[in-house]
Amino acid sequence: MDTGSFKALELLVIVGVVGYFYINQRNNLRRLKEEREKKQATEANEANATNADKTPPAND
């Protein structure tokens, strides 16, 4: 194998590894974002439920 072929193969391996890590990290960040948003929505719903229970009755 000549040096030109070796360098091309090396470049393809590097691009493949970088692409793999990029896609892997992007998927992990998306999953964490979805989990965080779900947790915040759950906490907001719980806070609204407890605040609704503490609201004094209106004096009409």
Side-chain angles (χ1 to χ4, degrees):
M1 193 160 27
D2 62 349
T3 57
S5 297
F6 179 72
K7 287 184 179 188
L9 180 61
E10 184 181 13
L11 178 63
L12 288 175
V13 169
I14 291 170
V15 169
V17 169
V18 170
Y20 169 77
F21 282 114
Y22 172 76
I23 291 170
N24 191 24
Q25 290 298 315
R26 189 179 64 181
N27 289 339
N28 287 338
L29 286 173
R30 188 189 65 216
R31 181 182 50 83
L32 289 172
K33 180 181 176 186
E34 290 170 357
E35 289 176 1
R36 183 183 68 226
E37 289 173 349
K38 183 178 177 182
K39 182 180 176 184
Q40 288 175 344
T42 303
E43 290 174 352
N45 288 339
E46 290 174 357
N48 288 338
T50 57
N51 287 341
D53 294 342
K54 295 179 182 177
T55 303
N59 295 328
D60 289 332

